[in-house]
Amino acid sequence: MAWIERDFCHVWSANAPADQDFIDDACFQLNFWKPVIQAFFDARNANGNTFLRHIDGRTKTRIRVKANMHTATGVGLLGRLARPTSAGPGYMLIDQDFLRCCRNVFDGTVTTGTQGATTITFTMADRYWALLELSSIILHELNHVVWNFAEERAYCMEGFFRQRVQADLGIASFPLCGQTTWPCGACVGEEPGCRSGAEMAPDIADISGWPTIAGCP
């Protein structure tokens, strides 16, 4: 088994082709929305080139889909884990159930979810965000690939990205979105409430707040 080079990342050869494609699609979306990520660095008056090279394909991170990541101790609900390495561009693991949940919504295999007794039919905006949900998680984990355990910056960048992209698209209020605000901004100067990842995490609107979808973690 080996790594396969794609447009914006390397994927694990043993992973299903559809999973490989979806990961590369999610990485492409980060490149498409690169101006938002650049705006994050601009707001911090920082040079983001070291990080942005992982977005535009100059440095391709290795991403592998792995089963049962979301049940592993310490990994968390969304099932993702990243590690830097001195031997290359680093790698991350993405939970298989999480990825396939997002992919099945995106490609229309799953069209509805439930909140209590209410059935919600997903719109094209929800479907697009299902792809960007994976993009947001990859963006967060890239912080750990580039800067090891930079949790404050990872949550700050993830929330900034979610809020700005959803606002630009006008979809923040849709069922699978929800990032209507981001009180931390780009955390310039580490304003109160933005000093640690633990303080920022509750403000992230992610898959844990989605309607119930069969097959999702």
Side-chain angles (χ1 to χ4, degrees):
M1 292 186 291
W3 296 97
I4 300 172
E5 183 174 5
R6 302 296 298 265
D7 290 335
F8 296 98
C9 61
H10 287 88
V11 293
W12 188 241
S13 61
N15 290 147
D19 293 347
Q20 297 178 24
D21 290 343
F22 196 60
I23 286 173
D24 201 44
D25 288 345
C27 291
F28 167 78
Q29 291 300 318
L30 290 177
N31 186 63
F32 180 82
W33 290 100
K34 184 178 173 182
V36 171
I37 304 169
Q38 180 64 63
F40 173 85
F41 288 101
D42 292 345
R44 297 173 75 107
N45 194 28
N47 184 335
N49 188 60
T50 299
F51 186 84
L52 292 169
R53 66 184 299 111
H54 291 259
I55 300 297
D56 59 25
R58 286 176 289 165
T59 298
K60 298 180 180 180
T61 298
R62 295 175 292 174
I63 306 177
R64 178 180 177 181
V65 180
K66 193 173 188 300
N68 302 317
M69 283 290 295
H70 64 285
T71 62
T73 302
V75 171
L77 173 68
L78 300 183
R80 65 284 218 291
L81 183 68
R83 287 287 182 268
T85 172
S86 59
Y91 72 93
M92 69 179 71
L93 304 175
I94 301 291
D95 179 62
Q96 179 176 279
D97 289 343
F98 162 68
L99 181 143
R100 291 181 179 178
C101 169
C102 293
R103 194 185 78 215
N104 288 340
V105 172
F106 174 72
D107 67 17
T109 300
V110 173
T111 59
T112 63
T114 59
Q115 284 183 329
T118 303
T119 298
I120 297 168
T121 299
F122 301 135
T123 65
M124 288 301 295
D126 293 304
R127 291 174 59 182
Y128 181 37
W129 187 259
L131 172 60
L132 287 169
E133 179 71 19
L134 176 58
S135 301
S136 300
I137 296 305
I138 291 173
L139 181 67
H140 179 115
E141 296 305 315
L142 276 175
N143 278 265
H144 303 313
V145 170
V146 178
W147 292 300
N148 203 349
F149 298 108
E151 201 67 74
E152 179 266 347
R153 189 181 342 221
Y155 274 109
C156 186
M157 188 185 296
E158 179 187 351
F160 183 96
F161 179 82
R162 287 173 179 271
Q163 193 276 326
R164 184 68 65 88
V165 171
Q166 290 180 18
D168 286 354
L169 291 170
I171 63 173
S173 63
F174 283 72
L176 301 192
C177 302
Q179 199 67 57
T180 56
T181 62
W182 180 243
C184 298
C187 301
V188 177
E190 294 189 342
E191 296 92 342
C194 299
R195 294 181 178 174
S196 72
E199 289 172 329
M200 285 183 277
D203 290 320
I204 295 281
D206 58 28
I207 190 176
S208 63
W210 281 14
T212 300
I213 303 172
C216 285

